[in-house]
Amino acid sequence: MSKFFFKRLQTAPLDQEVSSLDASDYFYRVALFMGWTPPKEGLLRWIYALWTLTTMWLGIVYLPLGLCLTYVKHFDRFTPTEFLTSLQVVINCIGNVIKTCVTYSQMWRFRRMNELISSLDQRCVTPSQRRIFHKMVTRSNLIVMLFLSTYLGFCFLNLFTSVFAGKAPWQLYNPFVDWQDGRWQLWIASILEYCVVSIGTMQELLSDTYAIVFISLFRCHLAILTDRIANLRQDAELSERENCEQLVACIQDHRTIIQCSQIIRPILSITIFAQFMLVGIDLGLAAISILFFPNTIWTIMANVSFIVAICTESFPFCMLCEHLIEDSVHVSNALFHSNWISAERRYKSAVLYFLHRAQQPIQFTAGSIFPISVQSNIAVAKFAFTIITIVNQMNLGEKFFSERSNGDINP
């Protein structure tokens, strides 16, 4: 059992066969659990469709709607810290609805990329190339597990810090169970909230990790391609025709990677743009909750876990995009410095064509407006300081306390 669950978390031996599909193994496992990879036919497909509808309804309909209904009906139940914690989830739900709908509707793109890029697996022949490939497979699956533990850790901390304080964690509107009716009702309502929020969180997990998994796959095959290019015309036993065939194979593989990047480009543009638009607000609300309102050590930990989760959503991928640009440059540099000067005219013509294509780096943009990079991520995150400054200058925290103490805020 442990071998089934944790097999991909350990680097496979070099003599063991692995594929590019293995890099997205844990991603597809989470997608299977969430109802995103239905069977192709049979009765099981219809049963599975019911589970898909259930998770979708809970994550993108009931969760944001239930939180908004709570503000309408039971706003007086919130303390400032509880309200900010709930508001963080509401704002994140807005991005989750957009990202989940886009990612789920474009799952075919991931399958298409797996089909295309699997043809590059047979190019990993040397021990150094297989070592790069095997480490990438392990690293991609580890990243999915790290995201899963970070996201669900935020839900877990909020659940227990709130229940031990005698309140439901997010006070999600529930017409059947009122958490104020007793201890058992509190636990039942809190666990139900935890399940709903966890479903929304895992939907966001899929929307956030697909980019890292596939960009890591691109980087791996670019690194292997760079190694192959550096070794072109190094074997004296090969004829010029065979050397030319190896160069053509490199050109074809580079074209395959470019084609895969074009397939994933539209979905990346939308999901990352939605994330960029909300990251500053989320970080600002979490910081305000810590800085301006009374907290226990547990609520501070819950807010810190939320900040870590929000930063995890965008920062690693932005960093990978910058590394991908560098990897593209390494391909063109390796080609330029390869042993082509003494080659035949046909070989040189192919090198010039390849060099022209390789000098165009693989770069993604968010919403076709600004490049996806660490600098862009920092720029949108700075909006959190703007929110904190506004709250501090206008003394909104003190006004909120005074209005509540005077009974001016009503449900």
Side-chain angles (χ1 to χ4, degrees), residues 213-254:
V213 169
F214 286 102
I215 296 302
S216 297
L217 196 56
F218 296 165
R219 291 195 62 214
C220 170
H221 284 295
L222 281 176
I224 294 172
L225 179 61
T226 302
D227 182 71
R228 289 167 52 201
I229 291 172
N231 291 312
L232 287 174
R233 301 187 79 249
Q234 297 295 331
D235 191 347
E237 297 181 359
L238 296 179
S239 64
E240 283 298 319
R241 180 181 178 182
E242 291 173 325
N243 287 326
C244 193
E245 288 176 352
Q246 287 187 346
L247 176 61
V248 171
C250 291
I251 296 174
Q252 292 173 342
D253 293 346
H254 184 262

Side-chain angles (χ1 to χ4, degrees), residues 80-339:
T81 303
E82 293 165 352
F83 172 69
L84 289 173
T85 301
S86 177
L87 190 59
Q88 294 165 12
V89 179
V90 171
I91 293 175
N92 216 40
C93 281
I94 298 173
N96 180 51
V97 171
I98 298 173
K99 294 192 295 183
T100 297
C101 291
V102 172
T103 307
Y104 176 73
S105 64
Q106 302 297 309
M107 286 290 288
W108 65 270
R109 294 182 182 271
F110 306 148
R111 292 188 288 269
R112 177 60 179 157
M113 280 188 291
N114 285 130
E115 293 173 1
L116 287 174
I117 211 164
S118 61
S119 62
L120 305 184
D121 297 347
Q122 58 185 350
R123 310 293 192 187
C124 304
V125 292
T126 67
S128 61
Q129 293 171 357
R130 295 194 64 83
R131 189 175 296 108
I132 294 173
F133 189 48
H134 286 214
K135 287 183 177 180
M136 181 277 304
V137 170
T138 304
R139 185 167 56 250
S140 298
N141 288 297
L142 279 171
I143 288 173
V144 175
M145 293 302 295
L146 178 62
F147 270 63
L148 184 64
S149 60
T150 302
Y151 287 15
L152 294 184
F154 158 72
C155 299
F156 185 82
L157 280 173
N158 271 280
L159 171 66
F160 282 95
T161 54
S162 300
V163 170
F164 290 151
K167 293 193 175 184
W170 297 278
Q171 301 187 29
L172 189 65
Y173 178 72
N174 189 335
F176 304 106
V177 181
D178 189 348
W179 60 269
Q180 289 187 322
D181 288 346
R183 187 170 184 82
W184 282 108
Q185 284 78 3
L186 172 62
W187 275 102
I188 293 173
S190 299
I191 292 175
L192 289 175
E193 286 186 16
Y194 174 79
C195 293
V196 173
V197 174
S198 294
I199 287 175
T201 300
M202 293 180 72
Q203 288 174 342
E204 192 150 13
L205 167 76
L206 291 172
S207 302
D208 293 334
T209 55
Y210 80 86
I212 294 179
V213 169
F214 286 102
I215 296 302
S216 297
L217 196 56
F218 296 165
R219 291 195 62 214
C220 170
H221 284 295
L222 281 176
I224 294 172
L225 179 61
T226 302
D227 182 71
R228 289 167 52 201
I229 291 172
N231 291 312
L232 287 174
R233 301 187 79 249
Q234 297 295 331
D235 191 347
E237 297 181 359
L238 296 179
S239 64
E240 283 298 319
R241 180 181 178 182
E242 291 173 325
N243 287 326
C244 193
E245 288 176 352
Q246 287 187 346
L247 176 61
V248 171
C250 291
I251 296 174
Q252 292 173 342
D253 293 346
H254 184 262
R255 184 182 301 170
T256 299
I257 298 173
I258 297 297
Q259 187 177 357
C260 290
S261 69
Q262 295 297 333
I263 292 174
I264 201 176
R265 189 179 302 276
I267 182 174
L268 276 178
S269 178
I270 299 174
T271 56
I272 300 302
F273 181 77
Q275 178 60 33
F276 276 179
M277 292 299 99
L278 299 175
V279 62
I281 300 175
D282 284 331
L283 292 176
L285 290 175
I288 289 169
S289 179
I290 296 174
L291 298 174
F292 296 102
F293 297 100
N295 289 276
T296 65
I297 183 62
W298 300 107
T299 55
I300 292 176
M301 288 178 60
N303 278 290
V304 169
S305 68
F306 180 79
I307 292 174
V308 171
I310 290 298
C311 293
T312 305
E313 287 183 4
S314 56
F315 180 77
F317 172 66
C318 291
M319 186 172 60
L320 280 178
C321 283
E322 292 197 351
H323 287 311
L324 184 64
I325 295 174
E326 295 176 359
D327 294 336
S328 301
V329 174
H330 292 161
V331 171
S332 61
N333 289 340
L335 179 61
F336 180 79
H337 292 288
S338 64
N339 185 21

Side-chain angles (χ1 to χ4, degrees), residues 26-40:
Y26 282 33
F27 170 81
Y28 283 118
R29 290 190 191 187
V30 178
L32 177 66
F33 175 76
M34 294 302 297
W36 287 24
T37 55
K40 294 183 178 180

